[in-house]
C-alpha cells in the first residue's frame, strides 16, 4: 500500500478534479488525485475505433463557455468549427423528411407560433430564475412539482410544438423523458446556457470542437501534476473527523492511501455512495444524493469514406422528436477526409434499442440515420455506440438531475461542504451545468474555497 500525505486529496481525474488539483498546486499546496479508471478525463474520452478518431464523451465548446475557452487558451489548444453549411432536415409526426434552412423547424404556422410562444415563456422564467439559485424563484415549488411534459401541455394544445420544445431539454440535454423531471429543472438547464433561445440554437450550443479531442484537456492538466495523479485507484473509504473536528481526511483506495487536510469529491453525485464514509455523512446528504440520477443516451458514431451528405447540399444536421435518432450532426474530425455522423438516442428510445440484439439495433439505428440523410447512411465503414450507462465509473449520461421536487428541496445544499469534504463536478455547477465548462468552473471555485481554508488554518497555527 502506497501512503501519501498531502494538503488536499482529489477523488476523480475528470476536468473538475484536475482543475481543482492544478489550481491548488499552482497556489503552492500539495495534492494527490486518485482516479478509479486507467485513464484521466472522466466523461470526456477521445478514442480511436477502426482507425477513426471518435469523441466518445463530451466534446463541444459554445461561445458562453468562457472558463473552458480560457483554459484552452492557457494550455495553447485550438478549436475548429462544427460543419453546418447547407440545409438541415426535420422529420415531423408524419415521418416525412423536410429540408430547411435557418434555425427554426419547418412546421405549420400554428405550430411555429406555439413554439415561439413557449420559447418566450421559458425565456422569461429563465431570466427570473437564473442559474445560481433557481430554488429561490417565487414559484419554485410549483415549477418543481410539475413535470416538464405536463407543464408544456398546460400552456399549449399543439402536441408537435410541445414535443419539439421538450426535445431540446429531455432528449437533447437531460436524456430523460420529459415526464421524469420538473419544469424548474428544465429552466435551470436553459439558464445555464443564458436563455432557452440559446438552448434551442444548435449553432450556439454545438459550436466548436477541440483539435485533438476534449479528453486532451484533462491529459494536459494531468501531465502538469505528474506522479500526483494515481490511476486505477478507486477510493473505497473516506475517513473524516466529523463536522467541526478539524482532523482532516484519509482517502483509502485499493493501491494508495492519502492523508490530507481536505478532500474533493470530483465525481458525479450518483457515484458519491460508491465510497463508504466514516463516520457516515449527515442525513440530508444521504437523502439528497438519492434524489439525483443520470439519464440514458446512446451516442452513435458512423464513419463513411466521404461526407456524402455535403455533396447533396446538406449540413448533416437533423431533428425529429419521434424518430429513433432524435438528433444527428456532422461530426467529421479535424482535417479528416472521411465523413463522420453522430446521432443521439435518448431515454425510452434507448431502452427500446438496448432490448434488441446488437445487429438488429445497428440496422434500426442506421435506418433512422438514413431517414435524415439518404440510403448511403446505411453503410458506414466504422460504426460505434458510446454506452456510458454500462461504464462502472459513470453509469449514465450526460449528467445528473433531480427527480420531481428534488431541485427546490435540496439544490441549495448541493455545493455545501461537509466538514473537510468538498463537492466538485459539472452536475452541480450553475453556469456550464452538464458541460466541461461547468466542471472547470466548479474546480476553480472549490480550489479557491480550500485555499482560503488552508490560509485560515495557517493563521490559526503559526509556523505551519
Amino acid at each position: 500500500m502506497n501512503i501519501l500525505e498531502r494538503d488536499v486529496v482529489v477523488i476523480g481525474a475528470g476536468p473538475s478534479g484536475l482543475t481543482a488539483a492544478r489550481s491548488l498546486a499552482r497556489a503552492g499546496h500539495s495534492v494527490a488525485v486518485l482516479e478509479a479508471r486507467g485513464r484521466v478525463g472522466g466523461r470526456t474520452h477521445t478514442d480511436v475505433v477502426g482507425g477513426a478518431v471518435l469523441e466518445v464523451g463530451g466534446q463541444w465548446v459554445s461561445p458562453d463557455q468562457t472558463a473552458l475557452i480560457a483554459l484552452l487558451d492557457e494550455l495553447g489548444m485550438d478549436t475548429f468549427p462544427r460543419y453546418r453549411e447547407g440545409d438541415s432536415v426535420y422529420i415531423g409526426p408524419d415521418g416525412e423528411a423536410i429540408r430547411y434552412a435557418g434555425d427554426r423547424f419547418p412546421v405549420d404556422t400554428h405550430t411555429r407560433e406555439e413554439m415561439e410562444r413557449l420559447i418566450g415563456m421559458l425565456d422569461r422564467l429563465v431570466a427570473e430564475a437564473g442559474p445560481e439559485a433557481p430554488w429561490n424563484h417565487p414559484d419554485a415549488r410549483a415549477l418543481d412539482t410539475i413535470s416538464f411534459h405536463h407543464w408544456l401541455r398546460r400552456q399549449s394544445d399543439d402536441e408537435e410544438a410541445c414535443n419539439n420544445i421538450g426535445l431540446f431539454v429531455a432528449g437533447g440535454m437531460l436524456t430523460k423523458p420529459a415526464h421524469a423531471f420538473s419544469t424548474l429543472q428544465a429552466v435551470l438547464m436553459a439558464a445555464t446556457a443564458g436563455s432557452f433561445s440559446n438552448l434551442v440554437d444548435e449553432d450556439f450550443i454545438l459550436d466548436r470542437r477541440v483539435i485533438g479531442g476534449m479528453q486532451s484537456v484533462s491529459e494536459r492538466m494531468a501531465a502538469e501534476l505528474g506522479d500526483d495523479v494515481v490511476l486505477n485507484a478507486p477510493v473505497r473509504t473516506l475517513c473524516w473527523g466529523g463536522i467541526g473536528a478539524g482532523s482532516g481526511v484519509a482517502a483509502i483506495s485499493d493501491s494508495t492511501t492519502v492523508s490530507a487536510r481536505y478532500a474533493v469529491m470530483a465525481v458525479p453525485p450518483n457515484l458519491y455512495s460508491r465510497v463508504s464514509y466514516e463516520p457516515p455523512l449527515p442525513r440530508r446528504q444521504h437523502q439528497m444524493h438519492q434524489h439525483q440520477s443520470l439519464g440514458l443516451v446512446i451516442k452513435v458514431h458512423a464513419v463513411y469514406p466521404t461526407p456524402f451528405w455535403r455533396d447533396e447540399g446538406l449540413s448533416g444536421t437533423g431533428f425529429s422528436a419521434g424518430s429513433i435518432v432524435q438528433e444527428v450532426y456532422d461530426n467529421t474530425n479535424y482535417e479528416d477526409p472521411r465523413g463522420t455522423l453522430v446521432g443521439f438516442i435518448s431515454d425510452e428510445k434507448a431502452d427500446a434499442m438496448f432490448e434488441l440484439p446488437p445487429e438488429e439495433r445497428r440496422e434500426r439505428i442506421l435506418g433512422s440515420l438514413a431517414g435524415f440523410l439518404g440510403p448511403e447512411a446505411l453503410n458506414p465503414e466504422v460504426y460505434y455506440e458510446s454506452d456510458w450507462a454500462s461504464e462502472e465509473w459513470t453509469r449514465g449520461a450526460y449528467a445528473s438531475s433531480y427527480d420531481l421536487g428534488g431541485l427546490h428541496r435540496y439544490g441549495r445544499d448541493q455545493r455545501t461542504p461537509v466538514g473537510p469534504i468538498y463537492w466538485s463536478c459539472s452536475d452541480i455547477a450553475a453556469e456550464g451545468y452538464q458541460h466541461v465548462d461547468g466542471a472547470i468552473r466548479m474546480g476553480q471555485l472549490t480550489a479557491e474555497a480550500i485555499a482560503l481554508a488552508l490560509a485560515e488554518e495557517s493563521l490559526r497555527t503559526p509556523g505551519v
Side-chain angles (χ1 to χ4, degrees):
M1 175 68 69
N2 189 25
I3 307 295
L4 302 175
E5 291 190 7
R6 297 289 190 271
D7 292 326
V8 182
V9 59
V10 178
I11 300 164
S16 193
L18 289 170
T19 296
R22 179 175 182 260
S23 299
L24 287 162
R26 289 191 159 198
H29 305 294
S30 60
V31 299
V33 182
L34 301 179
E35 166 58 44
R37 294 183 175 91
R39 62 170 182 83
V40 301
R43 284 168 278 180
T44 64
H45 186 196
T46 308
D47 204 359
V48 178
V49 179
V53 177
L54 303 179
E55 288 279 39
V56 175
Q59 63 176 73
W60 278 297
V61 184
S62 61
D64 63 321
Q65 293 176 352
T66 53
L68 172 56
I69 292 169
L71 179 59
L72 292 171
D73 289 342
E74 183 184 341
L75 295 173
M77 303 180 72
D78 295 322
T79 62
F80 66 103
R82 176 174 66 85
Y83 184 86
R84 63 195 81 181
E85 297 177 19
D87 292 338
S88 299
V89 177
Y90 173 77
I91 301 177
D94 61 2
E96 180 184 356
I98 304 173
R99 296 173 63 136
Y100 71 99
D103 59 358
R104 291 294 184 261
F105 294 165
V107 295
D108 65 35
T109 299
H110 180 263
T111 299
R112 182 175 63 254
E113 290 175 349
E114 287 297 280
M115 290 180 66
E116 294 293 344
R117 188 172 65 83
L118 289 168
I119 291 170
M121 294 178 68
L122 288 161
D123 276 343
R124 287 191 292 274
L125 283 172
V126 166
E128 293 167 1
E132 285 290 342
W135 42 85
N136 288 336
H137 189 280
D139 297 324
R141 190 180 191 283
L143 291 169
D144 203 31
T145 53
I146 182 172
S147 74
F148 193 42
H149 171 98
H150 289 94
W151 182 88
L152 287 168
R153 284 151 184 83
R154 283 189 181 180
Q155 316 307 320
S156 175
D157 62 357
D158 191 305
E159 188 67 11
E160 184 176 4
C162 291
N163 282 330
N164 285 341
I165 295 300
L167 168 65
F168 288 105
V169 182
M173 290 293 175
L174 299 182
T175 64
K176 293 179 177 179
H179 63 254
F181 59 87
S182 74
T183 305
L184 187 66
Q185 188 78 58
V187 168
L188 170 60
M189 185 73 254
T192 63
S195 67
F196 201 88
S197 293
N198 283 346
L199 198 65
V200 303
D201 181 357
E202 87 274 0
D203 286 344
F204 181 86
I205 295 296
L206 313 179
D207 184 29
R208 304 184 71 84
R209 291 172 56 195
V210 176
I211 295 175
M214 187 67 81
Q215 186 188 2
S216 62
V217 177
S218 292
E219 291 170 339
R220 293 277 186 97
M221 290 193 286
E224 290 185 21
L225 295 165
D227 292 339
D228 287 326
V229 178
V230 183
L231 303 179
N232 299 304
V235 172
R236 307 298 185 183
T237 304
L238 191 60
C239 299
W240 58 294
I243 295 174
S247 57
V249 296
I252 304 168
S253 76
D254 292 348
S255 63
T256 304
T257 292
V258 182
S259 296
R261 300 299 304 161
Y262 294 93
V264 178
M265 285 292 293
V267 298
N270 67 308
L271 298 184
Y272 291 165
S273 61
R274 295 298 307 278
V275 176
S276 295
Y277 301 86
E278 297 181 3
L281 294 175
R283 177 192 310 108
R284 188 163 178 82
Q285 290 286 328
H286 285 212
Q287 288 293 303
M288 176 169 58
H289 301 162
Q290 292 178 64
H291 286 267
Q292 295 168 282
S293 62
L294 272 70
L296 175 66
V297 67
I298 307 173
K299 182 179 184 181
V300 174
H301 315 258
V303 183
Y304 303 87
T306 64
F308 62 84
W309 52 91
R310 298 180 186 179
D311 294 335
E312 301 296 323
L314 294 171
S315 64
T317 300
F319 298 97
S320 175
S323 297
I324 293 171
V325 176
Q326 296 170 293
E327 302 173 80
V328 59
Y329 303 99
D330 184 323
N331 211 43
T332 301
N333 201 41
Y334 183 67
E335 294 185 340
D336 190 341
R338 294 168 297 181
T340 300
L341 294 173
V342 63
F344 297 91
I345 305 112
S346 296
D347 54 73
E348 293 171 311
K349 291 181 172 64
D351 287 338
M353 289 299 100
F354 279 132
E355 290 177 359
L356 302 176
E359 284 304 314
E360 185 179 352
R361 181 169 67 243
R362 171 186 166 125
E363 181 180 344
R364 293 279 301 279
I365 291 172
L366 289 175
S368 186
L369 288 177
F372 291 100
L373 300 170
E376 285 187 78
L378 294 171
N379 299 299
E381 59 183 27
V382 177
Y383 175 87
Y384 184 76
E385 298 169 3
S386 300
D387 175 18
W388 285 91
S390 65
E391 293 246 353
E392 178 69 6
W393 301 110
T394 304
R395 302 188 173 194
Y398 305 111
S400 73
S401 54
Y402 285 92
D403 56 14
L404 285 175
L407 181 57
H408 88 283
R409 183 178 176 187
Y410 297 109
R412 69 187 75 253
D413 294 322
Q414 64 186 357
R415 295 191 289 269
T416 303
V418 176
I421 305 170
Y422 287 69
W423 317 96
S424 185
C425 56
S426 66
D427 312 72
I428 57 175
E431 292 179 272
Y433 165 60
Q434 280 210 350
H435 294 90
V436 175
D437 181 77
I440 292 166
R441 290 176 187 272
M442 282 302 304
Q444 292 169 340
L445 289 171
T446 302
E448 290 171 7
I450 291 177
L452 179 60
L454 286 166
E456 290 175 348
E457 278 189 17
S458 180
L459 288 175
R460 290 195 300 268
T461 312
V464 175

Short mmCIF file of all heavy atoms in Angstrom, two decimals, residues 17-40:
data_model
loop_
_atom_site.label_atom_id
_atom_site.label_comp_id
_atom_site.label_asym_id
_atom_site.label_seq_id
_atom_site.Cartn_x
_atom_site.Cartn_y
_atom_site.Cartn_z
N GLY A 17 -11.99 17.69 -11.20
CA GLY A 17 -10.98 17.31 -10.22
C GLY A 17 -9.59 17.78 -10.60
O GLY A 17 -8.83 18.26 -9.75
N LEU A 18 -9.25 17.65 -11.87
CA LEU A 18 -7.92 18.07 -12.32
C LEU A 18 -7.77 19.59 -12.28
O LEU A 18 -6.69 20.10 -11.96
CB LEU A 18 -7.65 17.55 -13.72
CG LEU A 18 -7.43 16.03 -13.80
CD1 LEU A 18 -7.42 15.55 -15.25
CD2 LEU A 18 -6.13 15.62 -13.10
N THR A 19 -8.84 20.31 -12.58
CA THR A 19 -8.78 21.78 -12.46
C THR A 19 -8.54 22.18 -11.02
O THR A 19 -7.71 23.06 -10.73
CB THR A 19 -10.09 22.41 -12.97
OG1 THR A 19 -10.25 22.13 -14.36
CG2 THR A 19 -10.07 23.92 -12.76
N ALA A 20 -9.27 21.55 -10.09
CA ALA A 20 -9.07 21.86 -8.67
C ALA A 20 -7.65 21.54 -8.23
O ALA A 20 -6.99 22.36 -7.57
CB ALA A 20 -10.08 21.08 -7.83
N ALA A 21 -7.16 20.36 -8.60
CA ALA A 21 -5.81 19.95 -8.20
C ALA A 21 -4.75 20.87 -8.79
O ALA A 21 -3.81 21.29 -8.11
CB ALA A 21 -5.56 18.51 -8.62
N ARG A 22 -4.90 21.17 -10.06
CA ARG A 22 -3.93 22.05 -10.75
C ARG A 22 -3.91 23.44 -10.12
O ARG A 22 -2.84 24.03 -9.90
CB ARG A 22 -4.29 22.12 -12.23
CG ARG A 22 -3.40 23.01 -13.09
CD ARG A 22 -3.85 22.85 -14.54
NE ARG A 22 -3.03 23.62 -15.47
CZ ARG A 22 -3.39 24.79 -15.97
NH1 ARG A 22 -4.55 25.33 -15.61
NH2 ARG A 22 -2.60 25.43 -16.82
N SER A 23 -5.09 23.99 -9.82
CA SER A 23 -5.16 25.31 -9.21
C SER A 23 -4.52 25.33 -7.83
O SER A 23 -3.79 26.27 -7.48
CB SER A 23 -6.63 25.76 -9.13
OG SER A 23 -7.22 25.83 -10.40
N LEU A 24 -4.80 24.30 -7.04
CA LEU A 24 -4.21 24.23 -5.70
C LEU A 24 -2.70 24.05 -5.76
O LEU A 24 -1.96 24.67 -4.99
CB LEU A 24 -4.86 23.08 -4.92
CG LEU A 24 -6.29 23.34 -4.45
CD1 LEU A 24 -6.99 22.03 -4.08
CD2 LEU A 24 -6.30 24.30 -3.26
N ALA A 25 -2.23 23.21 -6.68
CA ALA A 25 -0.79 23.00 -6.82
C ALA A 25 -0.10 24.29 -7.23
O ALA A 25 0.99 24.62 -6.74
CB ALA A 25 -0.52 21.89 -7.83
N ARG A 26 -0.73 25.03 -8.13
CA ARG A 26 -0.14 26.30 -8.57
C ARG A 26 -0.12 27.33 -7.45
O ARG A 26 0.69 28.27 -7.50
CB ARG A 26 -0.90 26.83 -9.78
CG ARG A 26 -0.65 26.01 -11.04
CD ARG A 26 -1.18 26.69 -12.27
NE ARG A 26 -0.54 26.17 -13.47
CZ ARG A 26 -0.54 26.78 -14.64
NH1 ARG A 26 -1.13 27.95 -14.78
NH2 ARG A 26 0.08 26.25 -15.68
N ALA A 27 -1.01 27.16 -6.47
CA ALA A 27 -1.03 28.07 -5.33
C ALA A 27 -0.07 27.62 -4.23
O ALA A 27 -0.02 28.24 -3.16
CB ALA A 27 -2.45 28.18 -4.77
N GLY A 28 0.67 26.54 -4.47
CA GLY A 28 1.69 26.10 -3.53
C GLY A 28 1.26 25.02 -2.57
O GLY A 28 1.99 24.71 -1.61
N HIS A 29 0.09 24.42 -2.80
CA HIS A 29 -0.40 23.37 -1.91
C HIS A 29 -0.11 22.00 -2.52
O HIS A 29 -0.14 21.82 -3.73
CB HIS A 29 -1.90 23.54 -1.67
CG HIS A 29 -2.26 24.89 -1.13
ND1 HIS A 29 -1.86 25.33 0.11
CD2 HIS A 29 -2.96 25.92 -1.69
CE1 HIS A 29 -2.32 26.55 0.32
NE2 HIS A 29 -2.98 26.94 -0.76
N SER A 30 0.12 21.02 -1.66
CA SER A 30 0.40 19.67 -2.14
C SER A 30 -0.92 18.93 -2.38
O SER A 30 -1.87 19.05 -1.59
CB SER A 30 1.27 18.91 -1.14
OG SER A 30 0.62 18.81 0.11
N VAL A 31 -0.96 18.18 -3.47
CA VAL A 31 -2.19 17.49 -3.85
C VAL A 31 -1.88 16.07 -4.30
O VAL A 31 -0.76 15.75 -4.70
CB VAL A 31 -2.94 18.23 -4.99
CG1 VAL A 31 -3.34 19.63 -4.57
CG2 VAL A 31 -2.09 18.27 -6.26
N ALA A 32 -2.90 15.23 -4.24
CA ALA A 32 -2.86 13.92 -4.88
C ALA A 32 -4.24 13.67 -5.47
O ALA A 32 -5.26 14.02 -4.85
CB ALA A 32 -2.51 12.82 -3.88
N VAL A 33 -4.28 13.11 -6.68
CA VAL A 33 -5.53 12.81 -7.36
C VAL A 33 -5.64 11.30 -7.49
O VAL A 33 -4.75 10.64 -8.05
CB VAL A 33 -5.59 13.47 -8.76
CG1 VAL A 33 -6.93 13.17 -9.42
CG2 VAL A 33 -5.34 14.97 -8.67
N LEU A 34 -6.72 10.73 -6.98
CA LEU A 34 -6.98 9.30 -7.08
C LEU A 34 -8.10 9.07 -8.09
O LEU A 34 -9.19 9.61 -7.94
CB LEU A 34 -7.38 8.73 -5.72
CG LEU A 34 -6.35 8.89 -4.60
CD1 LEU A 34 -6.89 8.29 -3.29
CD2 LEU A 34 -5.03 8.25 -4.97
N GLU A 35 -7.80 8.29 -9.12
CA GLU A 35 -8.74 8.05 -10.22
C GLU A 35 -9.02 6.56 -10.34
O GLU A 35 -8.09 5.74 -10.40
CB GLU A 35 -8.18 8.59 -11.53
CG GLU A 35 -8.89 8.13 -12.79
CD GLU A 35 -10.37 8.47 -12.81
OE1 GLU A 35 -10.73 9.62 -12.45
OE2 GLU A 35 -11.17 7.59 -13.17
N ALA A 36 -10.30 6.19 -10.38
CA ALA A 36 -10.68 4.79 -10.45
C ALA A 36 -10.33 4.16 -11.80
O ALA A 36 -9.94 2.99 -11.86
CB ALA A 36 -12.17 4.64 -10.19
N ARG A 37 -10.46 4.92 -12.87
CA ARG A 37 -10.19 4.39 -14.20
C ARG A 37 -8.68 4.28 -14.47
O ARG A 37 -7.87 4.81 -13.72
CB ARG A 37 -10.80 5.29 -15.28
CG ARG A 37 -12.32 5.35 -15.30
CD ARG A 37 -12.76 6.23 -16.47
NE ARG A 37 -14.19 6.27 -16.65
CZ ARG A 37 -15.00 7.16 -16.09
NH1 ARG A 37 -14.51 8.09 -15.30
NH2 ARG A 37 -16.31 7.13 -16.32
N GLY A 38 -8.38 3.67 -15.58
CA GLY A 38 -7.00 3.61 -16.03
C GLY A 38 -6.63 4.76 -16.93
O GLY A 38 -5.60 4.72 -17.61
N ARG A 39 -7.45 5.80 -16.96
CA ARG A 39 -7.19 6.99 -17.77
C ARG A 39 -7.76 8.20 -17.05
O ARG A 39 -8.59 8.07 -16.14
CB ARG A 39 -7.86 6.86 -19.15
CG ARG A 39 -9.38 6.75 -19.07
CD ARG A 39 -10.06 6.88 -20.41
NE ARG A 39 -11.52 6.79 -20.27
CZ ARG A 39 -12.30 7.81 -19.95
NH1 ARG A 39 -11.77 9.00 -19.69
NH2 ARG A 39 -13.62 7.66 -19.85
N VAL A 40 -7.35 9.37 -17.47
CA VAL A 40 -7.95 10.61 -16.97
C VAL A 40 -9.02 11.07 -17.97
O VAL A 40 -9.11 10.56 -19.07
CB VAL A 40 -6.89 11.71 -16.77
CG1 VAL A 40 -5.83 11.26 -15.79
CG2 VAL A 40 -6.26 12.14 -18.10
#
